Amino acid sequence: AISFLCLGSSSARCAVEVAMHVVILAAGYGTRLGKDLETTGKFPELLGVPKPLLPIGGVPLISRWMTQLEKCPQAKSIVVVVNDSNKAAFEAWAKDFPNVQLISDGSTANENRPGAVAAIALAVQHLAGDAQELLVVGGDTLFLADFELAEVLQRQQALRAAAAATDTGCMVLCYTTSAEDTRKRGILELDALRRVTAFLEKPGPDATPSRLACPAFYLLSVPALPHVAAFLQATAALPLADRDAPGNLIKYLVGKVPLLAVEISGRFDVGGLDSYVECDQYFRGKND
């Protein structure tokens, strides 16, 4: 378990006793955004740029995560899972971040990618000699400007204590979405202690009373890590669409390990051009 104290708010830093590893998922191919760019002819300079390297308010999306991680020194190591096609671009970016380790999933195109959960498994295998909790961050995801990683991890510790899951409780995040948006998101159902009782993939508003969407950002406890490989083995015969999205892993973990949900104010999921423009404009406004 991680034990630490965070002082302050926007400048919060953490005093830590136990470390964690971090994996940023950056092996996707951004096909939807690429099609949008080709169709509209807008932002030609972004064609071929991996989504985690897209400029958001003048800063690469992934660099915004590095700013958060630099405030929390319990991040013992940072692994970025890339693919063989975008590896050179990330090598150029990583020259400014010598503590980052790049590993490739070996894919060369969207058609032969192993998927996001396989990327998590690759990181678990890479870090197998030093078992620590693993923070998983979606490389195309950002949260609103009030998000502070240090503060969120502190809240998760309080939930662990309340749920008597100090050493085993995983953390997921959630935010309130609209009824219509439940058709596009993974939705969590929680009990009174904010333990996840169900993960529903794009259920629609009539299938659940919950409006709590779950972004690709998870802290996996050490007891949860073997379940990553077990999930891949259990779903090996399924189409990639049924085992690619990391939310499928969270659904698999429900009932196997405690999953505790910390609420945040909102998120950006940079999928197509519209969501990219919205995210970029939001952070440009915060820079003013």
Side-chain angles (χ1 to χ4, degrees):
I2 301 173
S3 177
F4 55 90
L5 173 66
C6 297
L7 303 176
S9 54
S10 62
S11 60
R13 297 184 67 88
C14 304
V16 338
E17 294 178 5
V18 180
M20 69 180 181
H21 298 302
V22 180
V23 56
I24 300 177
L25 306 178
Y29 284 85
T31 53
R32 179 154 48 107
L33 178 60
K35 289 178 181 177
D36 287 350
L37 292 171
E38 291 175 355
T39 300
T40 64
K42 297 179 179 179
F43 307 105
E45 70 279 7
L46 299 183
L47 275 170
V49 177
K51 285 198 290 185
L53 296 178
L54 289 171
I56 302 293
V59 179
L61 189 159
I62 192 173
S63 296
R64 291 185 175 273
W65 279 115
M66 296 302 297
T67 298
Q68 289 281 345
L69 292 168
E70 286 169 356
K71 297 177 186 178
C72 287
Q74 76 267 29
K76 182 176 180 181
S77 61
I78 301 171
V79 173
V80 179
V81 181
V82 301
N83 59 53
D84 280 2
S85 293
N86 67 23
K87 186 176 181 180
F90 280 98
E91 287 173 340
W93 165 81
K95 289 179 181 179
D96 293 329
F97 301 98
N99 58 326
V100 167
Q101 304 173 56
L102 299 179
I103 57 175
S104 176
D105 69 359
S107 69
T108 56
N110 191 57
E111 292 71 24
N112 63 22
R113 74 192 192 283
V117 180
I120 298 172
L122 188 64
V124 172
Q125 181 181 11
H126 178 74
L127 298 164
D130 184 20
Q132 304 285 351
E133 299 191 324
L134 182 66
L135 182 65
V136 179
V137 181
D140 57 0
T141 296
L142 279 177
F143 302 136
L144 302 188
D146 62 350
F147 177 85
E148 285 288 345
L149 176 58
E151 185 265 342
V152 164
L153 292 174
Q154 187 180 33
R155 288 163 59 197
Q156 183 244 3
Q157 287 296 89
L159 286 178
R160 275 181 166 177
T166 305
D167 296 319
T168 60
C170 301
M171 177 184 70
V172 297
L173 299 185
C174 61
Y175 64 94
T176 301
T177 191
S178 66
E180 183 59 30
D181 211 35
T182 60
R183 302 181 190 277
K184 307 174 185 177
R185 309 294 180 197
I187 301 296
L188 299 178
E189 293 182 348
L190 310 179
D191 68 12
L193 291 176
R194 303 196 66 80
R195 293 175 297 198
V196 178
T197 57
F199 178 96
L200 307 174
E201 184 64 35
K202 303 177 182 178
D206 297 331
T208 175
S210 176
R211 301 294 181 261
L212 296 176
C214 179
F217 182 99
Y218 323 118
L219 182 63
L220 302 180
S221 63
V222 173
L225 297 182
H227 289 293
V228 180
F231 167 83
L232 291 174
Q233 184 176 4
T235 60
L238 297 177
L240 181 61
D242 294 329
R243 52 187 168 85
D244 176 21
N248 292 320
L249 174 63
I250 300 305
K251 183 176 181 178
Y252 179 81
L253 290 176
V254 174
K256 295 180 174 64
V257 292
L259 296 165
L260 306 168
V262 175
E263 191 158 4
I264 59 172
S265 59
R267 75 74 123 41
F268 292 100
D269 178 10
V270 180
L273 181 56
D274 288 346
S275 58
Y276 166 71
V277 170
E278 181 185 11
C279 183
D280 181 49
Q281 290 180 344
Y282 173 84
F283 281 98
R284 285 185 184 276
K286 297 301 177 183
N287 292 342
D288 294 341

